[in-house]
Amino acid sequence: ILGLEEVELNGRKLELILLKETIFNEHIGWETTNLFWYDSSGFVWKSIQSISPKLPKFTFIVTKKPS
C-alpha cells in the first residue's frame, strides 16, 4: 500500500488508496507492476494491469459504483 491519492474520475475527485502489486514469473523471466486505486470499502475504482509480457498494459476505470 502506497497511501492515499486524490483521483479525478468522471469529473469527481475521490480520495483513494493506491496499492502496488509486483508479479513475476521466473520460468519466462518476466516481472511487472500492477496498480489499483480503491476506496475504504475495498471497491476498486481504477487499475492499470498487465497480464502478459506480449500485451500492453490495460486500464480499467469505473465511472459509477454499482448499487
Side-chain angles (χ1 to χ4, degrees):
I1 297 175
L2 298 178
L4 291 175
E5 185 173 296
E6 189 175 87
V7 178
E8 186 171 338
L9 301 174
N10 204 27
R12 295 183 333 165
K13 290 185 180 181
L14 300 172
E15 192 77 18
L16 301 174
I17 302 162
L18 175 57
L19 172 73
K20 178 176 148 183
E21 170 192 57
T22 302
I23 59 173
F24 59 93
N25 183 311
E26 292 179 24
H27 181 71
I28 61 172
W30 178 60
E31 182 175 325
T32 191
T33 300
N34 296 327
L35 300 171
F36 301 90
W37 288 265
Y38 62 95
D39 63 20
S40 59
S41 71
F43 183 80
V44 177
W45 285 92
K46 179 179 176 181
S47 68
I48 301 173
Q49 301 176 58
S50 182
I51 58 170
S52 167
K54 295 182 178 185
L55 297 173
K57 288 186 178 234
F58 56 92
T59 300
F60 283 112
I61 297 174
V62 178
T63 56
K64 182 180 176 192
K65 189 173 184 177
S67 51

